[in-house]
Amino acid sequence: EPLSGYTFHLQFPSGMKLPVYSPSERIYYRYPHELDRKAGKDGCEYAFKFSQPIPRLKPNFGFNTITLVLSPEFPENCEGQSQKGVCWLSGRGLHEIPREFNLKILPKLRGIQPRRILISTWTGMRNKCFTTPEVEVMFTTFKQAGFNLLGTLFTQGDKFPPETAYTEMAEIVKKAKEYDFQTLFGFHGNIDTFFNRDIISRHPETKLVNNTFKLEAWQKPMCPLAFMASQDVKARITKMAGMHDHVLYDLESGIKSSCLCEKCRGKFARENGLAGTPDESEIISRYKQQLIAHQIKINYELFNFIRGTARAANPKVKCDIYSAHTVDSTPEKYGMDWSLYTNLVDCAEAGYDESPEVLKQTRQSLGGRSIHAGLILNTALFEYQYADQNIKARLFKQLVHSGYGGGIIWSWEELNGVGLTAVADFTRGISTFENYLNDKNEIPANGVISGTVDENVRIFKDGDSYLYLAINPTISPKTVEIKMPQGFLPQSCVNFYTGEKHGGKSSFSATIPPQDVLLVEAK
């Protein structure tokens, strides 16, 4: 139940400490509190004093929750140990008995940022948070986990003017470059409330018209024709392209976001050879399929406008798209036809499915190109439920079936130490063998690895060396038999994650732990 006027006490074992932060500067802390740290006889004690009630947490992509992104510091000789922590409540007549909890000491994050394969996440941060000590911890953690691409959002509103948003964006980019991140500016084009809000306020005649599908009150989409004609929009895209390595159009704009103002209906009528201009209700009821095709065309024109504007400002900027995978609902729901972008998009990102067949369809639509497939970790942090943290096998599976283009993790707020360790193990593996991981180097498996299904097996050849990749997505250990290619006897054969050596053998067996991966290089 909601409580106020109480303190939560957390006591760590001796030798361990939690980096101190300023609660007033934490964006995700929606509940005001004070933080105090003091040395106790059995370790270091932290007191979180809440002066206002904390309501039940509500699903909202994790943004209305209490989220700590801080790694406790501890002596290295504690790695792998389990120790005891203590926590209790006090205040308002509450005198709970201190409760012990098990504290598993994970190894330090040893991820490596890949150079070619992009592994991205999103800052999701707002306002004045780039001057706090905690940000240093956060960015250090991102780098140690192996992320190398950081997505950013242009955020402005009534109390946060565009000038402040520009300053914040410059701070984000500067901080990201200090940690060797490429940066990506992402927005929803003409339906991005934060990107267009002030422009529409100054020019209300540019607002998107759609009375059939009622949008939320906070949504202020812009007519796409007005968007592409706006000098303010061009100036803003120009500025973002000059700051970033990537500009991404988050293309999730189906017919519910179609503009049906007089100009757009006139364009629709001309496209379909209609004698007159139909009204909105007639288009929806009589010409729905034509409207779907029209929206796909509009989105294509928007991407070309964004791409042209960005490239004029920065010829080196990558122009990317994020949308749904190829599924039956895509045209109506998302306004997307991937085949239109085969020769235009630099990086195609898609993140709503982990089905190999769906990933295959998406790549086929793009002429066989690789994509960046997302891993959606989003339970909305309802109450205290976290996403599954054993994601190493899932990360490799997405990478394999997307053609080794890269991956997106949404959202990092879900990751605890176990999840971050899985990411770090993943990036360390793909960074070490990045020269192998592409369609050109993949060769037929032909039963060389037995004991698992073919879709979870890949073999690569680079010169006289081979890389064996086997994924175990199940919750049970899996033993596989690995055979060397006919006539090939390796001098060195090492299991990357376990360190086991199998040199000079034509075959050997190995056990893959649950939800884990085997990587063996033979040369």
Side-chain angles (χ1 to χ4, degrees):
E1 295 299 323
L3 295 172
S4 64
Y6 75 96
T7 301
F8 172 68
H9 301 263
L10 176 64
Q11 184 172 287
F12 281 143
S14 180
M16 185 176 298
K17 64 179 182 178
L18 185 74
V20 173
Y21 61 91
S22 171
S24 63
E25 293 178 322
R26 276 196 58 81
I27 295 310
Y28 286 110
Y29 260 109
R30 301 300 175 93
Y31 314 114
H33 68 284
E34 298 174 7
L35 172 62
D36 181 48
R37 180 175 71 180
K38 61 182 180 180
K41 63 177 182 178
D42 296 319
C44 204
E45 181 185 319
Y46 297 82
F48 302 81
K49 185 176 182 180
F50 292 90
S51 57
Q52 297 181 10
I54 300 179
R56 284 191 178 276
L57 307 182
K58 298 179 180 179
N60 186 20
F61 283 90
F63 296 154
N64 284 334
T65 68
I66 296 176
T67 308
L68 281 171
V69 192
L70 295 171
S71 298
E73 300 169 10
F74 55 88
E76 287 193 19
N77 59 8
C78 293
E79 281 193 16
Q81 295 181 9
S82 289
Q83 297 192 21
K84 297 290 184 181
V86 181
C87 63
W88 69 95
L89 288 170
S90 67
R92 295 185 67 227
L94 294 168
H95 299 287
E96 284 200 4
I97 298 172
R99 305 296 177 90
E100 284 191 347
F101 59 89
N102 292 320
L103 191 65
K104 176 64 182 289
I105 312 300
L106 295 168
K108 289 184 180 295
L109 295 176
R110 296 184 175 92
I112 302 174
Q113 292 172 302
R115 307 320 306 168
R116 175 180 59 82
I117 297 173
L118 295 175
I119 308 300
S120 66
T121 190
W122 288 78
T123 59
M125 295 185 239
R126 305 287 187 272
N127 309 12
K128 61 179 183 178
C129 61
F130 282 86
T131 58
T132 65
E134 183 193 352
V135 170
E136 299 294 336
V137 178
M138 191 179 299
F139 273 81
T140 299
T141 300
F142 283 163
K143 182 170 182 176
Q144 291 175 345
F147 291 114
N148 57 6
L149 177 61
L150 204 61
T152 64
L153 302 170
F154 185 91
T155 307
Q156 49 94 23
D158 298 334
K159 298 181 180 179
F160 194 48
E163 294 75 20
T164 306
Y166 284 126
T167 301
E168 181 199 38
M169 185 67 75
E171 290 175 351
I172 295 173
V173 172
K174 180 181 178 181
K175 181 65 65 176
K177 295 303 181 184
E178 291 175 9
Y179 289 85
D180 298 326
F181 292 110
Q182 293 186 43
T183 60
L184 176 150
F185 166 65
F187 71 127
H188 289 82
N190 67 302
I191 61 170
D192 193 306
T193 301
F194 297 116
F195 185 81
N196 302 326
R197 184 194 299 260
D198 63 312
I199 300 173
I200 296 174
S201 296
R202 294 194 304 272
H203 305 283
E205 72 280 2
T206 65
K207 189 173 181 180
L208 182 147
V209 176
N210 189 323
N211 297 305
T212 302
F213 301 107
K214 298 293 185 181
L215 297 172
E216 299 292 338
W218 58 267
Q219 291 179 312
K220 296 181 179 180
M222 193 172 184
C223 165
L225 301 183
F227 180 87
M228 289 184 281
S230 169
Q231 293 303 311
D232 289 333
V233 168
K234 288 181 180 179
R236 192 157 290 174
I237 294 173
T238 295
K239 198 151 189 173
M240 291 300 101
M243 287 186 186
H244 291 83
D245 303 294
H246 297 252
V247 171
L248 177 140
Y249 175 22
D250 193 340
L251 199 167
E252 300 172 295
S253 180
I255 62 172
K256 288 187 176 182
S257 300
S258 293
C259 184
L260 297 169
C261 71
E262 185 175 358
K263 287 185 178 180
C264 286
R265 285 187 286 111
K267 178 178 173 64
F268 175 86
R270 291 190 297 274
E271 287 175 1
N272 291 282
L274 303 180
T277 300
D279 61 23
E280 180 177 321
S281 61
E282 185 178 3
I283 290 176
I284 298 294
S285 62
R286 186 176 176 185
Y287 298 108
K288 183 178 178 180
Q289 293 305 313
Q290 291 89 337
L291 179 60
I292 292 172
H294 167 78
Q295 185 64 21
I296 289 173
K297 186 174 185 293
I298 283 291
N299 286 330
Y300 175 71
E301 292 174 0
L302 283 166
F303 177 75
N304 278 280
F305 162 73
I306 294 166
R307 182 175 183 267
T309 304
R311 284 282 169 80
N314 178 5
K316 295 182 179 180
V317 72
K318 303 292 185 184
C319 298
D320 307 342
I321 285 180
Y322 182 93
S323 191
H325 288 298
T326 300
V327 291
D328 293 340
S329 64
T330 298
E332 178 178 340
K333 188 176 181 181
Y334 293 94
M336 165 53 89
D337 179 353
W338 282 107
S339 65
L340 296 174
Y341 301 92
T342 299
N343 298 316
L344 290 175
V345 66
D346 292 302
C347 175
E349 299 187 358
Y352 291 88
D353 205 299
E354 294 184 48
S355 163
E357 185 57 36
V358 173
L359 290 168
K360 179 181 178 181
Q361 291 174 21
T362 308
R363 294 190 62 199
Q364 287 174 341
S365 299
L366 282 162
R369 291 186 53 180
S370 63
I371 63 175
H372 291 215
L375 191 65
I376 305 298
L377 303 177
N378 183 22
T379 62
L381 293 176
F382 184 70
E383 297 292 334
Y384 46 81
Q385 183 64 50
Y386 276 83
D388 179 14
Q389 301 292 314
N390 296 314
I391 58 175
K392 185 176 171 184
R394 292 170 64 192
L395 288 166
F396 269 100
K397 194 172 181 180
Q398 288 292 81
L399 184 71
V400 164
H401 294 298
S402 63
Y404 317 104
I408 320 149
I409 292 183
W410 181 269
S411 60
W412 58 262
E413 296 91 348
E414 295 273 359
L415 293 170
N416 61 25
V418 176
L420 283 167
T421 301
V423 174
D425 285 347
F426 168 66
T427 61
R428 189 169 75 254
I430 65 175
S431 296
T432 303
F433 301 111
E434 203 168 7
N435 59 308
Y436 287 98
L437 297 173
N438 56 65
D439 284 340
K440 181 183 69 175
N441 285 346
E442 187 175 335
I443 62 176
N446 295 330
V448 172
I449 299 181
S450 58
T452 187
V453 295
D454 290 342
E455 74 169 32
N456 294 324
V457 172
R458 292 293 186 277
I459 301 177
F460 308 87
K461 187 178 189 301
D462 184 22
D464 295 327
S465 301
Y466 295 85
L467 178 69
Y468 294 79
L469 166 62
I471 302 169
N472 177 14
T474 71
I475 59 173
S476 302
K478 189 176 288 291
T479 299
V480 296
E481 183 76 14
I482 300 173
K483 299 177 182 177
M484 295 295 115
Q486 190 171 3
F488 175 72
L489 197 63
Q491 293 182 352
S492 171
C493 190
V494 180
N495 186 325
F496 177 73
Y497 285 118
T498 67
E500 293 178 274
K501 297 180 180 180
H502 307 279
K505 298 179 182 179
S506 59
S507 66
F508 61 90
S509 62
T511 300
I512 312 174
Q515 297 174 307
D516 212 326
V517 173
L518 173 142
L519 275 176
V520 171
E521 184 182 31
K523 57 185 179 179

